[in-house]
Amino acid sequence: MKFGIVVFPGTWSDRDCYYSISNILGQKAAYIWHKDTDLSGFDCIVLPGGFSYGDYLRTGAIARFSPVMEAVADYSQKGRPVIGICNGFQVLCEAHLLPGVLRQNDHLQYRCQWTYLKTINTSTLFTSKCKQDRVLKIPISHYEGRYYADDDTLKELEDTSRVVFRYATPEGQVTGEANPNGSLNSIAGIINKQGNVLGMMPHPERSCEDILGSTDGNLIWESIIASI
Amino acid sequence: MFLAKVYVTLKPTVNDPQGLTIKGALHTLGFGAVHEVRAGKYLEIKVEGNDVQKASSQVQDMCMKLLANPVIEKFRFELEEIKPA
């Protein structure tokens, strides 16, 4: 299968995604410049991490008006898989493909560290290879990762099993101390209603080899590959 | 030409760690009377044209489409006519 990796001005995790998809998982991958609008031939679109447009105004606010985003919206409406990682998650929220917003971490510090994720919903196309009792060790690297949504939206997400990942302890306990940024309900990743658009703050592409300290991120890519 | 002064502020229900930190710093500096600080954004936008209603509706549109995120923010703006020098 072929992954399309969107590159905005200021995207920085595109090559890490390319590396893990092609070198580690042996799949095809290609970059998509943000001014391109032809997504035919891709089986999954990746919005990688970075600082699109310098994070000016709000994270993701300007990237969402790049020409490629209209094509990404059409693509997602056809039920095809889209994954947004870190800045990609922020862009998906600004583009209203996912609800809510990612705000400054509650402690106002940039955090680059390992996090431990509990997979809450293992029946999505992004998590079929994950298990609820198997904690994922995947790093974060962000200043604006505190998930926020109004009470009604949050309730809807919870009631419909659309919270996919929560920050937890290495043992899988969801506690306040294990929450690295103050996200509501310890949310690390959510999915849209249709179940084909995932946003997550942790970086699966940076936990793809033992030498990096974890290979748990591969479970997410492997789930996507298995679904196509 | 008009000058739009746009104020983007957090909704009252949204917490503001930046505002809290600034409040803490002001208290440290001895401004004990500071009860609350809310941080927001201020933008100045020059808009061409001489129809105030058109300019106003354009700025309104800009705020709704890009300048404010309605999930967490609200906005208001003032318009001033800029006379040619």
Side-chain angles (χ1 to χ4, degrees):
Chain A
M1 69 178 283
K2 190 170 183 184
F3 287 80
I5 302 165
V6 175
V7 183
F8 298 102
T11 296
W12 75 353
S13 215
D14 43 340
R15 289 183 184 217
D16 289 351
C17 287
Y18 189 100
Y19 177 80
S20 46
I21 291 165
S22 59
N23 295 43
I24 305 296
L25 294 153
Q27 303 297 315
K28 288 186 192 142
Y31 297 116
I32 304 167
W33 183 234
H34 72 114
K35 291 196 169 164
D36 293 340
T37 54
D38 182 7
L39 304 183
S40 60
F42 293 110
D43 301 301
C44 176
I45 298 299
V46 183
L47 302 183
F51 295 84
S52 57
Y53 291 91
D55 277 355
Y56 295 159
L57 194 63
R58 295 179 308 276
T59 56
I62 297 177
R64 71 153 291 208
F65 291 106
S66 275
V68 73
M69 286 309 296
E70 210 165 308
V72 170
D74 287 346
Y75 187 91
S76 73
Q77 271 151 25
K78 291 177 189 145
R80 311 200 68 189
V82 176
I83 175 170
I85 300 162
C86 198
N87 187 226
F89 186 9
Q90 296 161 343
V91 174
L92 289 172
C93 287
E94 282 284 343
H96 308 308
L97 295 177
L98 288 172
V101 61
L102 283 312
R103 303 200 51 225
Q104 294 161 324
N105 297 344
D106 58 355
H107 42 65
L108 297 177
Q109 289 170 2
Y110 182 91
R111 282 288 162 87
C112 180
Q113 67 182 59
W114 289 107
T115 54
Y116 299 88
L117 305 180
K118 192 170 169 60
T119 311
I120 306 300
N121 184 344
T122 54
S123 55
T124 78
L125 73 90
F126 305 94
T127 53
S128 61
K129 301 273 181 190
C130 305
K131 294 193 170 65
Q132 280 185 342
D133 55 1
R134 158 82 157 75
V135 173
L136 303 178
K137 183 185 176 190
I138 300 183
I140 56 162
S141 163
H142 63 243
Y143 174 68
E144 282 156 311
R146 176 166 58 107
Y147 185 77
Y148 173 86
D150 62 39
D151 293 344
D152 292 345
T153 306
L154 203 60
K155 185 172 185 307
E156 191 194 325
L157 287 173
E158 295 287 359
D159 290 351
T160 54
S161 304
R162 287 168 54 198
V163 175
V164 176
F165 300 112
R166 281 191 227 280
Y167 299 108
T169 63
E171 296 75 34
Q173 300 301 311
V174 177
T175 65
E177 292 72 40
N179 182 342
N181 54 28
S183 284
L184 289 180
N185 297 12
S186 292
I187 288 174
I190 58 166
I191 201 163
N192 67 340
K193 248 184 222 159
Q194 275 182 281
N196 65 313
V197 178
L198 173 83
M200 63 187 295
M201 288 311 295
H203 289 266
E205 77 281 12
R206 297 185 196 173
S207 44
C208 67
E209 285 183 295
D210 284 326
I211 197 172
L212 297 174
S214 169
T215 58
D216 289 351
N218 293 342
L219 289 170
I220 292 162
W221 302 118
E222 285 165 5
S223 300
I224 300 171
I225 293 162
S227 78
I228 301 296
Chain B
M1 183 106 86
F2 294 93
L3 172 67
K5 297 180 172 177
V6 181
Y7 304 85
V8 180
T9 52
L10 287 172
K11 286 180 175 175
T13 50
V14 173
N15 84 340
D16 178 16
Q18 192 171 214
L20 283 173
T21 306
I22 297 166
K23 176 181 147 183
L26 290 171
H27 282 176
T28 307
L29 289 172
F31 297 102
V34 173
H35 177 67
E36 189 182 21
V37 178
R38 305 279 288 171
K41 288 189 189 99
Y42 171 69
L43 301 102
E44 291 187 343
I45 301 174
K46 286 179 182 163
V47 186
E48 286 175 1
N50 45 27
D51 179 342
V52 66
Q53 283 197 328
K54 195 174 164 195
S56 171
S57 85
Q58 282 177 330
V59 175
Q60 176 85 13
D61 229 21
M62 292 175 208
C63 290
M64 295 202 299
K65 277 194 178 144
L66 177 66
L67 304 179
N69 180 340
V71 177
I72 47 168
E73 293 168 330
K74 56 196 176 71
F75 63 86
R76 64 184 172 85
F77 61 87
E78 298 151 9
L79 273 184
E80 283 170 21
E81 190 165 8
I82 306 172
K83 301 263 190 247

